[in-house]
Amino acid sequence: MSQPESAVPKKKVLFRGRSNAAVANSNAEGEDSPEFEPFGPMPRGLPPLAEYLDIREVNMVNDINKKEHHTSLFSNALLIVRRAQEFQIRVTFNRAYEPAKDQFLLEFVIGSSPQMSKGTYIPVFPDPEKTRAWRGRVLDSMDNMVTVGITPAPDCIVGRFRTYVAVITPFGIRRTRRDSKRDVYVLFNPWASDDAVFLKEEEERGEYVLEESGILYHGEASDISARPWNFGQFEYGVLDACLYVMDRAQMPIVNRGDPIKVARKASAAVNSRDDDGVLVGNWSGDYSFGVAPTSWTSSVEILVTYASSRQPVNYGQCWVYAAVFNTFLRCLGIPARVVTNFYSAHDNDGNLKTDIILDEAGKVDRGRTKDSIWNYHCWNECYMTRPDLPQGFGGWQVVDATPQETSDGLYRCGPASVQAIKHGQICFPFDAPFIYAEVNSDVVFYKRDQSGNVVPVKVNSTHVGRKVLTKAIGRDQYDDITSQYKFAEGTEEERTVLQKAEEYGMGRTKVNYPETDVQVEILAQEVSVGDNFKLALEFKNLSGEQRTVNAFVNGYVVYYTGVTSDEVKSKTLTVTLDPWQTERVSVDVQADDYMSRLVEQCNLHFIVTGRVEQDSQIVSAMRVITLHVPELVVKVIGEPRVSELTLVSVEFTNPFQFSLDNVYLRMDGPGLMSPKIKHFSLISPKASEIWSDSFTPRRAGPTKLMVTLDCAALRQVYSQVVVNVKP
Amino acid sequence: MSQPESAVPKKKVLFRGRSNAAVANSNAEGEDSPEFEPFGPMPRGLPPLAEYLDIREVNMVNDINKKEHHTSLFSNALLIVRRAQEFQIRVTFNRAYEPAKDQFLLEFVIGSSPQMSKGTYIPVFPDPEKTRAWRGRVLDSMDNMVTVGITPAPDCIVGRFRTYVAVITPFGIRRTRRDSKRDVYVLFNPWASDDAVFLKEEEERGEYVLEESGILYHGEASDISARPWNFGQFEYGVLDACLYVMDRAQMPIVNRGDPIKVARKASAAVNSRDDDGVLVGNWSGDYSFGVAPTSWTSSVEILVTYASSRQPVNYGQCWVYAAVFNTFLRCLGIPARVVTNFYSAHDNDGNLKTDIILDEAGKVDRGRTKDSIWNYHCWNECYMTRPDLPQGFGGWQVVDATPQETSDGLYRCGPASVQAIKHGQICFPFDAPFIYAEVNSDVVFYKRDQSGNVVPVKVNSTHVGRKVLTKAIGRDQYDDITSQYKFAEGTEEERTVLQKAEEYGMGRTKVNYPETDVQVEILAQEVSVGDNFKLALEFKNLSGEQRTVNAFVNGYVVYYTGVTSDEVKSKTLTVTLDPWQTERVSVDVQADDYMSRLVEQCNLHFIVTGRVEQDSQIVSAMRVITLHVPELVVKVIGEPRVSELTLVSVEFTNPFQFSLDNVYLRMDGPGLMSPKIKHFSLISPKASEIWSDSFTPRRAGPTKLMVTLDCAALRQVYSQVVVNVKP
């Protein structure tokens, strides 16, 4: 029983007395099973094996299996099946199989140190009466060929299994030599009612599992932009990259059948913090050592680069994290979608307040205001049962791979039940209070008086979590799913939920301020980058008396994270309102004010705060104006056909008075091409450039071709065209 | 509003657009507040401040405050108070304070970027009507001296605050210059009914907050050893080290008032994994680069070394983690105790099974058995309300700082409500399923048949979590608290809890094996290391027929983690039992069999497995025999008095035939000394050594002097004597 010292791996030396075996946490590793395993001491010479079955051929029946298991779309030569659903393997022997006399079995093995009790070694006998975890039966037996039907357990491990066929003889077990071409990927199965990720409607599975192109919503709640994305979960190399993500994160193999654990682990592993995961976050504006987050078109390039370079990929921001995570989930068979929350409270670790400090005059004190509200934030939802929670909290679960500074101290988030968040039942794992705060925080305005004393003067409880959107099923439009996160404002249910959440420690700020009878609003409008425009304010006097408002209008360039860069506008207004009067006031904003100061995604944040002379009441309003960027004109020439060269052109005109340097264009499309990149070192003011290129579609059917343009002075420029590839 | 580029700290460059300000996460950092803060543009020349109050002296009234706040035991010159309880500060002005005319306030500030709304800047006016978070009032005003009573909020941040006294003038605020001698530590308050860590009974607070020496239980469930430990939470440097632990783990200051978050963070920060926390784990037997886990006597040396070296300390195992964590919690004022769970299931990520694989003959297959059960495992409980959970789950909470391989993928654990674990309500955070499994796992025996098929043949559901112990209040004995973790075996409640846990996904193995009518037990016995002894087995035939048992007896040297080292005994027995007969059989074990193979803590693990000839039923039994180590004889000479030199001697005799090399002795005692170390390079066979030394007690009262001896061949040798120091 003594083990030689050298058998102990060096790096594990601190754990010699700690555990019997290292936890198997790599799908890529694992020993080949021996071709002959004797039962006891062998007689001299070769055993008389001739009379026993001999295996001539093993056929994985790829075409039928992949069609029935909804895995035909994968660009992958190996068999891919889904659990809880029968697939077939055809074995040819040297002679006819005689059940009364012959004994054979199929073995599926994953990772190192396989054990039956851990579900990492799975013997399947062609006999339903010998069913252990996976069921086996003879579907057909003809001449020397036996077709075996195999049904993986509905909770079995997901990943790449090694397949063996073994024959039992009185002397030992003879098995086929390892052949990686016989490996089989087993995935989650949203089509099987006893799988934890079962989804009832075929059209839902079509969108949330099989759809490769998607839309990421961003911009502002009343001025929404829709960016196309190639999830590409079936593209060549993506499935292996997804398994590598789990291997790299050292996720124990035994946990990989549980969609809760897989989603939670991946929420950590899609970002590079803590664990050298897929994407490095960067919000600095300087992307010289990688690709700008706005430049990507597809998860494919990111995942495949990660798996081949074995290094985190530069760079991501929230929608990139969400898009890559979505690919990961759909690829493994967990139904998933990207959602966008407009005005998302952040960095406050489940605190339900975002603080804005006003100075004595009522103007925002930028130096003292530290919190920020993201204009939008993207995360994912994935669909699964939650046996770890009381009934009623299955269904869509929030997961978020964007590294947030203080979510329970770690860079991962979820899964948290959307139902639980809606009902304020935030006592259940994982990270529900944090997500609840992202959609429900109050914006609290404080006034700082002379003695440094800070008192809350106004609470806006509707600004945060204004709108939650996701792409609709089968259409390029959004579904407003805000009502899945919260009850309608002012309803009885809403009050009950707030109370419930408060019981769980989500304290709210109570402010006793006089009812306001003067209101101000910044009106929504669409503005293109480079335009001069008039910011429209509407003041309303709801009282029967005259009111005079002294207001400050301030405009700032902001990152989409709500972090403020330069001030571009500052104006003081005095507006006198007659009883019950509504008055519109406009403030001129010149392109010159902001053009040289723009950062990243061209957002201007306007805040109006003011005080009513007659009674000192505070009025305030905020709005982000998203500056629309110029368009790309994408043209596909002719009718694309499978395996035929197709021409495409992309045209872009620089609308500005200044030149654009170091411009990258990217083109991509599921089933159409691998990502293509085009670089222009300079596009002169008002100049047009055309990029002509070609591609060869790989499969028939409708798909999308997407193009992005990105340079330091101009980001989030993109376009897409629907392409219907003929066979 | 534009910020110069150089104002952006270099290391944060990736987050420039990410957040307005870095999250304050260091108590050690923070800017001094200015001595004069003008309200607006100042008139030329010095302002006429003479007529306003001028501060001459600030007295922190240490003696009274510390006595009333139960912090007198701290070896720390600064003021230490507990929240939700009034303390006083005495301010001397240049003239008498006139409330109608003069305005002054006290300010308490913690960390960088202090904000009132975050509780990091706290103004306190000497006027209950101006109460914000903390209440202030004038307790006494006499001549030029005002005594202010200050009551910190019951949920305020815990840590070291900077204190200022500020006078408000029409021109601005004048405040005292920063003086670190006026810093005040604010701690949790188990004496205050509105603090989340309130504990009702004075004797409980005496043990779980104020008691500095403790006992760590180890060994085997029926042969328990009690190791003394100096928690030393009041020793010089320990409080600052505990704050450093949170700073080093980058715990946001705003979270440091919540005992749930503090305990959770510390469960990660007490081990070095992930975050360069306090202690490096080492179970290898090779401790050449540090101190052997068995050698420590005290948390003080570990914490103070960590804080001064700013490097993780070598080395810890579970009881060291638990002891240091206990010091941390008691030091900050969170009631805490160390508990020991005998036969603790591990490394199975909330799986409720520990698998033991038997070969065809019924003998344990060591090569295929990967799981291990720790002979014992130490963790902590801390006492607090749980507002984040439904009612009824407050009270004792499990936290565990030992880095376990797969607790939700991260090296931290808890707090998990002990009540929730007892009732199977494992759906609530944090990590309840993992702890539930540690006390409730089944041991499943599998038999592996010829074709490699593995079937469960026997389940032992009572082996794991046999006993949970903690030191009793005010006595050096243990309290058996097993019933706080589980209902009695066989009760209706027990069955309900198992069902409940099963609903939450903690599946159990159901085995249909015939009722056994033959039982075997390994009888408990006390053995000293170096003894020859007879292992006593008891076979019982509960049937009316004759039974013949073919049994294998195997003995292994094991680490306390259950990991098996060498086999030391292997014997085959055949026992024939008449109807209803009980038969005792003994197996000789010679010192020579095991002495040269012992590892670490001298445990021998015996397993008996066998099969009954008549009906093939499987019988099995397991027991760990802890080998008792020789004693240290510690003598304190004379009657120790405060500040007087006292002599002490430690005597040890090597009972073995071989010499002991590189022997370290350590001596320690709360209030008596800093740890002393003595090294013997060799103690010859049968030789005695005496270590004579001296110490000077620092305070009066009963305390303990503890000594350990440690070398590679002999660990867990210790002794303690009660010392009553006269004033």
Side-chain angles (χ1 to χ4, degrees), chain B residues 284-517:
Chain B
S284 74
D286 176 2
Y287 309 116
S288 353
F289 297 104
V291 176
T294 39
S295 184
W296 300 109
T297 52
S298 160
S299 313
V300 179
E301 191 179 354
I302 296 167
L303 281 165
V304 170
T305 304
Y306 178 66
S308 60
S309 71
R310 316 215 143 206
Q311 291 292 330
V313 176
N314 295 347
Y315 293 104
Q317 289 180 9
C318 72
W319 69 93
V320 191
Y321 286 112
V324 169
F325 198 178
N326 213 53
T327 300
F328 174 91
L329 294 164
R330 287 189 184 176
C331 180
L332 294 182
I334 301 176
R337 60 191 187 186
V338 176
V339 310
T340 302
N341 175 36
F342 286 92
Y343 293 117
S344 197
H346 260 248
D347 297 340
N348 53 8
D349 199 21
N351 182 342
L352 271 182
K353 296 187 307 183
T354 300
D355 300 336
I356 294 183
I357 318 286
L358 308 178
D359 64 17
E360 273 216 86
K363 190 179 165 187
V364 174
D365 184 337
R366 278 282 142 197
R368 289 197 163 81
T369 300
K370 310 285 183 192
D371 290 354
S372 67
I373 302 162
W374 292 34
N375 296 341
Y376 62 91
H377 178 52
C378 297
W379 59 62
N380 300 78
E381 289 180 7
C382 53
Y383 196 90
M384 57 187 66
T385 58
R386 286 298 297 265
D388 58 326
L389 304 185
Q391 290 203 323
F393 297 116
W396 289 110
Q397 311 288 321
V398 173
V399 281
D400 188 349
T402 299
Q404 308 197 32
E405 303 248 9
T406 53
S407 169
D408 196 17
L410 275 146
Y411 301 108
R412 60 177 177 175
C413 185
S417 161
V418 174
Q419 269 298 93
I421 290 163
K422 178 169 183 176
H423 289 89
Q425 296 281 1
I426 53 177
C427 57
F428 300 113
F430 296 90
D431 306 311
F434 189 83
I435 297 152
Y436 182 87
E438 286 183 315
V439 292
N440 282 304
S441 286
D442 291 335
V443 179
V444 184
F445 292 84
Y446 291 87
K447 219 190 71 191
R448 198 169 178 279
D449 74 11
Q450 274 216 335
S451 58
N453 202 5
V454 176
V455 284
V457 290
K458 199 173 161 130
V459 177
N460 183 340
S461 57
T462 60
H463 184 71
V464 164
R466 191 77 59 86
K467 217 174 236 178
V468 185
L469 303 183
T470 188
K471 177 182 176 300
I473 295 173
R475 291 172 296 133
D476 281 356
Q477 281 163 343
Y478 63 74
D479 247 1
D480 187 331
I481 57 169
T482 319
S483 67
Q484 298 187 15
Y485 281 84
K486 8 189 195 181
F487 286 100
E489 227 182 291
T491 58
E492 186 58 39
E493 290 95 333
E494 188 211 13
R495 268 188 296 277
T496 314
V497 167
L498 292 179
Q499 256 171 28
K500 189 98 229 154
E502 219 163 330
E503 279 171 30
Y504 291 125
M506 306 294 276
R508 298 197 153 246
T509 301
K510 274 139 198 137
V511 179
N512 292 321
Y513 49 85
E515 280 292 304
T516 53
D517 54 23

Side-chain angles (χ1 to χ4, degrees), chain A residues 1-2 12-21 23 37 39 113 115-118 121 123 125 132 168 173 252 255 261 264-265 273 280-285 347 349 351 353 355 366 368-372 374 387-390 403-406 408-410 412 427-430 446 448 450-455 503-505 556 559 561 563-564 566-567, chain B residues 1-2 12-21 23 37 39 113 115-118 121 123 125 132 168 173 252 255 261 264-265 273 280-285 347 349 351 353 355 366 368-372 374 387-390 403-406 408-410 412 427-430 446 448 450-455 503-505 556 559 561 563-564 566-567:
Chain A
M1 281 290 127
S2 157
K12 278 277 175 191
V13 73
L14 290 187
F15 287 87
R16 195 172 59 187
R18 176 70 179 75
S19 43
N20 272 316
V23 174
E37 210 174 330
F39 290 143
S113 306
Q115 281 179 271
M116 195 173 110
S117 62
K118 302 287 187 218
Y121 166 77
F125 294 90
R132 305 265 170 262
I168 300 168
I173 298 172
N255 293 343
K261 288 181 176 160
R264 179 153 183 76
K265 190 73 189 180
R273 306 289 300 256
V280 178
N282 185 341
W283 284 260
S284 74
D347 298 339
D349 199 22
N351 182 342
K353 295 187 308 183
D355 300 336
R366 279 282 143 199
R368 288 198 164 82
T369 300
K370 309 285 184 195
D371 289 355
S372 67
W374 292 34
D388 58 327
L389 304 186
Q404 307 196 34
E405 303 247 11
T406 52
D408 196 17
L410 275 145
R412 61 176 178 174
C427 57
F428 300 112
F430 296 90
Y446 291 86
R448 198 169 179 280
Q450 273 216 334
S451 58
N453 202 4
V454 174
V455 283
E503 278 171 30
Y504 291 124
Y556 306 91
Y559 293 83
T561 56
V563 169
T564 304
D566 294 354
E567 191 179 50
Chain B
M1 280 290 127
S2 158
K12 277 276 174 191
V13 72
L14 292 186
F15 289 87
R16 195 171 60 184
R18 176 70 180 74
S19 43
N20 273 316
V23 175
E37 211 174 328
F39 291 142
S113 306
Q115 281 179 270
M116 195 174 111
S117 62
K118 304 285 187 218
Y121 166 77
F125 294 90
R132 306 264 170 264
I168 299 168
I173 298 171
N255 294 343
K261 288 181 175 160
R264 180 154 182 74
K265 190 72 189 180
R273 304 291 299 255
V280 178
N282 185 343
W283 283 260
S284 74
D347 297 340
D349 199 21
N351 182 342
K353 296 187 307 183
D355 300 336
R366 278 282 142 197
R368 289 197 163 81
T369 300
K370 310 285 183 192
D371 290 354
S372 67
W374 292 34
D388 58 326
L389 304 185
Q404 308 197 32
E405 303 248 9
T406 53
D408 196 17
L410 275 146
R412 60 177 177 175
C427 57
F428 300 113
F430 296 90
Y446 291 87
R448 198 169 178 279
Q450 274 216 335
S451 58
N453 202 5
V454 176
V455 284
E503 279 171 30
Y504 291 125
Y556 306 91
Y559 293 84
T561 56
V563 169
T564 304
D566 295 353
E567 190 178 53

Side-chain angles (χ1 to χ4, degrees), chain A residues 19 149 159 201 254 263 301 314 342 470 566 590 605 619 653 657 696 709-710:
Chain A
S19 43
E201 302 297 333
V254 290
E301 194 179 351
N314 295 348
F342 286 92
T470 189
D566 294 354
Q590 301 293 319
H605 187 207
V619 299
T653 305
Q657 303 293 351
T696 308
L709 177 145
D710 197 83

Side-chain angles (χ1 to χ4, degrees), chain B residues 535-560:
Chain B
L535 186 75
L537 311 180
E538 187 173 87
F539 290 83
K540 270 189 196 161
N541 181 358
L542 303 176
S543 78
E545 295 161 41
Q546 201 190 53
R547 295 282 187 243
T548 309
V549 186
N550 294 310
F552 299 92
V553 183
N554 292 89
Y556 306 91
V557 171
V558 288
Y559 293 84
Y560 87 97

Side-chain angles (χ1 to χ4, degrees), chain B residues 35-48:
Chain B
E35 282 179 73
F36 186 73
E37 211 174 328
F39 291 142
M42 289 292 297
R44 271 168 195 277
L46 274 174

